[in-house]
Amino acid sequence: DLFLDFKGVMPGDTLRQTIRVNAAPTNSQNYRIFLYARECSQAQTPEGGAHTIQRSTPGFLDQLNIRVSRRATAGETADANIGGVSIGEGTGLEGVLLGTFTPGMSVELNVDLEVALTMGNEFANAAAYIDWVFYADTIETEPDPGPDPDPGPDTDRKSVV
């Protein structure tokens, strides 16, 4: 369960959990990392296929708003807002872009869950089951052209001794 702190919500709650996204230092390329969320009951097969599909309480997810921000690093005065996560919408490149990751890069993200103040008692003991999906898109890099070609005998050259 990725978000253990998002349990037992009450109307008007704003809950925050910090997650760390790491790019393996052995990666040979840069990647753009996206996050999207899918209600578990919408998935034909849950991500990874390791659990059974659970049914959320109808209407409960409509009471929730999820936002992602990059935690401030040394010298920054505030977290950088990345955007909202639309549950059940988007896949792959349509998710929230968390950033471009180089090999070995690590970023801390704040995930905020806001619960509508108007959420009624009909949602007491409600549950929502969400598949959180991280999607990596390889950034193609141009091959190194190597050293400049030999300019030929008609070009001035300087020797450095």
Side-chain angles (χ1 to χ4, degrees):
D1 191 350
L2 182 60
F3 293 102
L4 293 174
D5 294 342
F6 291 174
K7 306 283 190 253
V9 299
M10 299 293 290
D13 276 354
T14 298
L15 305 174
R16 173 171 281 183
Q17 186 164 329
T18 300
I19 60 173
R20 178 179 294 275
V21 179
N22 300 309
T26 55
N27 287 345
S28 61
Q29 295 179 300
N30 297 338
Y31 293 89
R32 292 184 305 166
I33 307 280
F34 296 84
L35 169 66
Y36 63 95
R38 245 187 351 208
E39 186 175 359
C40 186
S41 63
Q42 294 175 348
Q44 292 294 330
T45 302
E47 294 296 325
H51 59 82
T52 58
I53 293 177
Q54 301 288 327
R55 302 283 176 214
S56 297
T57 303
F60 183 52
L61 289 174
D62 296 334
Q63 305 294 317
L64 309 177
N65 183 32
I66 300 170
R67 299 205 54 79
V68 179
S69 60
R70 182 182 49 78
R71 289 192 64 179
T73 57
E76 295 180 326
T77 57
D79 294 343
N81 183 32
I82 294 175
V85 178
S86 297
I87 298 170
E89 295 179 17
T91 58
L93 301 179
E94 296 173 9
V96 175
L97 176 61
L98 301 178
T100 299
F101 288 73
T102 58
M105 184 176 171
S106 179
V107 172
E108 284 192 343
L109 301 171
N110 290 323
V111 180
D112 295 320
L113 174 68
E114 299 168 353
V115 182
L117 185 59
T118 57
M119 183 174 73
N121 288 335
E122 67 271 21
F123 294 106
N125 300 315
Y129 300 93
I130 298 171
D131 286 323
W132 296 94
V133 182
F134 291 86
Y135 178 83
D137 179 45
T138 305
I139 296 175
E140 298 297 328
T141 55
E142 295 294 322
D144 184 1
D148 289 335
D150 183 3
D154 297 334
T155 305
D156 291 336
R157 293 184 182 203
K158 294 183 180 177
S159 297
V160 178
V161 182

